[in-house]
């Protein structure tokens, strides 16, 4: 399925992303299950007289399928649902334990994590989440904003791509792991010619790499080797610098840094963004600007410079490419556990998120996906434009509701 391609008609091409979720007050849709399950225990006493033991029964070891409930799956957002500002929400810990069999039915439920965050490999993300939540989370359960960008590898595998965003050189590592063989980051360009952005100080990780024997720094002469595409993998750490470099590439002659078109400027190379979210939740009491805001600002500068709309391709939630990737991820994860899921048309996926414009909108557009909005992140009430059928206080309430409703 092709990613979502946009030719922005204005810097505010997606006005819904500016919804002020904190100032709204809308009716909350709630569905609850009051039934409680009571567990009874029986006390056994030892017989006072010798007894004759009967032949031992054959112990039944359940097959993998018998330990799992496979008709239902869960897709978690991370920030604002399980974490807030990098800190673990205690309800998230309890929710994940329930899905790993700590529930009245002793059933495991397939689950994956779909986040518009990124900036590290799926291996590192899984290891970090496992440590924080005290459960085993596998890389095969992780879909980050840039994970579907693996689909671009065949197109650009042997061409030079510029990867933007993230901390230090982490996104170069991600792109190389995906299979891109020639990866530059903005600091490569600043090191190649420091006057490209005189205010830039190279990241300490970059200096360490540059001074090592295995350095990739200054591996490219950007006047002789063109950039074939710009891939924004994660949030920018230096907006001014990154926007300057992106627009330099887009307005260059054929992707050669340091050249500029004259007259009727045409966008020189394709541009990809992994995350459309304008805002995201942290420990700060109101949302912060994210990669989507960088896109809007860059588009405004591009139009000011060229008189034309910037063209770009979007990945991440709410776009269908990410959900198709998530379906495949679920199936591969279950298969690795020795479990075969029912056909897609016979199973339901609950998507738990905090952002109506991405988590809820995206899930509403998918067949057999049901979104649940939790109030621990961006939205505090249901949204009239993208209303979730269920609204819960937090993720633990959401998982209890799902298990009560779906477990056999």
């Amino acid at each position: 399925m092709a990613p979502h391609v946009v030719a922005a008609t204005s810097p505010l091409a997606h006005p819904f992303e500016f919804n002020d979720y904190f100032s709204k007050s809308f009716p909350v849709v709630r569905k609850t299950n009051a039934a409680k399950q009571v567990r009874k225990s029986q006390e056994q006493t030892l017989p006072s007289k010798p007894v004759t033991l009967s032949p031992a029964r054959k112990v039944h070891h359940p097959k993998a399928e018998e330990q799992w409930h496979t008709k239902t799956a869960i897709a978690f957002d991370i920030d604002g649902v399980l974490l807030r500002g990098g800190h673990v929400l205690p309800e998230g810990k309890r929710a994940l334990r329930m899905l790993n069999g700590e529930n009245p039915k002793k059933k495991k439920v397939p689950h994956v994590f779909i986040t518009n965050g990124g900036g590290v490999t799926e291996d590192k993300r899984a290891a970090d989440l496992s440590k924080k939540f005290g459960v085993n989370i596998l890389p095969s359960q992780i879909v980050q904003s840039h994970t579907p960008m693996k689909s671009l590898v065949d197109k650009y595998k042997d061409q030079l791509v510029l990867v933007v965003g993230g901390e230090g050189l982490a996104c170069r590592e991600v792109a190389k792991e995906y299979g891109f063989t020639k990866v530059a980051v903005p600091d490569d360009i600043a090191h190649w010619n420091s006057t490209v952005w005189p205010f830039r100080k190279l990241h300490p990780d970059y200096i360490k790499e540059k001074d090592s024997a295995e350095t990739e720094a200054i591996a490219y002469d950007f006047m002789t080797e063109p950039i074939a595409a710009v891939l924004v993998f994660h949030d920018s750490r230096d907006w001014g610098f990154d926007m300057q470099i992106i627009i330099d590439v887009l307005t260059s002659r054929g992707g050669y840094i340091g050249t500029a078109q004259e007259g009727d400027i045409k966008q020189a190379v394709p541009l990809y963004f992994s995350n459309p979210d304008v805002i995201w939740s942290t420990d700060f009491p109101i949302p912060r600007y994210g990669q989507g805001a960088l896109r809007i600002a860059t588009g405004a500068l591009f139009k000011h410079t060229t008189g034309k709309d910037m063209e770009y391709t979007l990945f991440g939630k709410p776009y269908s490419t990410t959900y198709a990737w998530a379906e495949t991820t679920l199936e591969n994860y279950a298969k690795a556990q020795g479990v075969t899921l029912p056909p897609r048309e016979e199973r339901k996926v609950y998507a738990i998120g905090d952002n109506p414009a991405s988590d809820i909108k995206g899930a509403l557009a998918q067949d057999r996906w049901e979104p649940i909005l939790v109030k621990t992140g961006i939205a505090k009430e249901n949204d009239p434009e993208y209303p979730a059928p269920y609204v819960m206080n937090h993720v633990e309430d959401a998982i209890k509701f799902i298990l009560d409703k779906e477990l056999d």
Side-chain angles (χ1 to χ4, degrees):
M1 185 175 295
H4 189 74
V5 181
V6 176
T9 56
S10 76
L12 304 181
H14 304 285
F16 68 80
E17 293 168 323
F18 289 92
N19 287 344
D20 183 355
Y21 298 118
F22 287 95
S23 64
K24 293 181 181 178
S25 178
F26 304 111
V28 179
V29 181
R30 305 180 193 273
K31 293 189 180 182
T32 60
N33 190 333
K36 295 182 179 179
Q37 298 185 356
V38 180
R39 299 174 60 185
K40 297 181 179 179
S41 60
Q42 293 181 336
E43 190 175 301
Q44 294 182 337
T45 58
L46 294 173
S48 57
K49 296 181 180 180
V51 297
T52 302
L53 296 177
S54 59
R57 292 184 179 181
K58 184 178 180 181
V59 177
H60 173 65
H61 296 285
K63 298 179 181 178
E65 286 83 355
E66 296 177 37
Q67 301 173 23
W68 290 76
H69 173 82
T70 59
K71 294 180 181 179
T72 306
I74 314 296
F76 289 104
D77 183 30
I78 297 177
D79 292 314
V81 175
L82 299 170
L83 302 173
R84 188 174 177 90
H87 302 296
V88 172
L89 295 175
E91 298 88 357
K93 273 192 171 183
R94 294 191 290 269
L96 290 177
R97 288 202 300 266
M98 283 191 278
L99 294 184
N100 280 280
E102 293 185 25
N103 57 67
K105 297 291 186 180
K106 306 298 183 185
K107 292 275 190 177
K108 298 180 181 180
V109 181
H111 54 285
V112 295
F113 304 84
I114 312 176
T115 174
N116 273 354
V120 295
T121 64
E122 285 72 19
D123 283 1
K124 288 186 176 179
R125 176 73 69 186
D128 178 62
L129 292 175
S130 297
K131 182 177 179 180
K132 285 178 175 175
F133 289 99
V135 296
N136 186 31
I137 296 172
L138 302 177
S140 59
Q141 290 175 271
I142 306 294
V143 180
Q144 301 186 103
S145 64
H146 45 64
T147 305
M149 284 180 149
K150 293 177 182 180
S151 63
L152 299 174
V153 170
D154 287 343
K155 185 173 184 178
Y156 297 111
K157 184 175 182 179
D158 297 318
Q159 300 181 68
L160 179 59
V161 296
L162 178 68
V163 171
V164 178
E167 185 66 28
L169 301 173
C171 285
R172 192 210 301 274
E173 178 187 353
V174 175
K176 298 281 281 187
E177 183 174 284
Y178 286 177
F180 295 98
T181 58
K182 302 175 75 172
V183 182
V185 295
D187 267 350
D188 286 324
I189 299 172
H191 182 263
W192 169 73
N193 187 334
S194 63
T195 62
V196 73
W197 189 252
F199 316 108
R200 178 67 177 175
K201 292 184 179 180
L202 296 177
H203 191 279
D205 288 352
Y206 186 89
I207 296 172
K208 181 179 179 181
E209 182 193 67
K210 177 176 67 68
D211 293 338
S212 74
E214 301 175 356
T215 181
E216 288 189 42
I218 63 170
Y220 308 109
D221 180 353
F222 296 100
M223 284 287 288
T224 61
E225 185 158 13
I227 291 171
V230 178
L231 285 63
V232 183
F233 265 37
H234 198 35
D235 295 311
S236 170
R237 268 48 173 182
D238 188 336
W239 278 37
F241 175 50
D242 286 343
M243 286 193 292
Q244 179 72 73
I245 297 298
I246 291 171
I247 292 175
D248 281 349
V249 176
L250 298 185
T251 59
S252 68
R253 295 197 299 269
Y256 292 95
I257 297 292
T259 68
Q261 299 177 47
E262 297 179 359
D264 184 22
I265 299 175
K266 297 180 179 179
Q267 186 167 321
V269 304
L271 172 63
Y272 302 88
F273 289 93
S274 71
N275 177 4
D277 289 351
V278 172
I279 55 176
W280 65 298
S281 62
T282 69
D283 283 337
F284 199 70
I286 59 175
R288 303 290 82 195
Y289 288 129
Q291 191 186 131
L294 175 76
R295 185 192 77 242
I296 291 170
T298 305
L301 286 174
F302 182 86
K303 187 157 190 175
H304 177 80
T305 302
T306 68
K308 297 180 179 179
D309 295 324
M310 183 177 73
E311 296 182 359
Y312 52 85
T313 300
L314 287 174
F315 290 83
K317 296 176 291 187
Y319 299 111
S320 57
T321 305
T322 292
Y323 290 89
W325 202 279
E327 290 275 21
T328 301
T329 298
L330 265 171
E331 291 161 357
N332 291 340
Y333 165 68
K335 186 176 181 180
Q337 310 309 306
V339 176
T340 301
L341 296 182
R344 294 184 182 183
E345 62 272 13
E346 296 178 14
R347 66 176 187 258
K348 181 187 297 184
V349 181
Y350 285 94
I352 305 175
D354 70 309
N355 189 337
S358 58
D359 303 319
I360 307 305
K361 179 185 178 183
L364 286 171
Q366 312 306 311
D367 292 335
R368 302 160 287 94
W369 285 61
E370 289 196 20
I372 298 178
L373 179 70
V374 293
K375 299 191 289 184
T376 47
I378 289 175
K380 303 306 179 186
E381 300 293 343
N382 216 353
D383 181 72
E385 189 170 6
Y386 307 112
Y390 310 104
V391 177
M392 307 285 172
N393 287 325
H394 48 68
V395 67
E396 185 179 11
D397 281 352
I399 294 302
K400 286 180 178 177
F401 163 74
I402 294 168
L403 296 182
D404 284 346
K405 186 170 183 280
E406 301 292 345
L407 283 194
D408 301 326

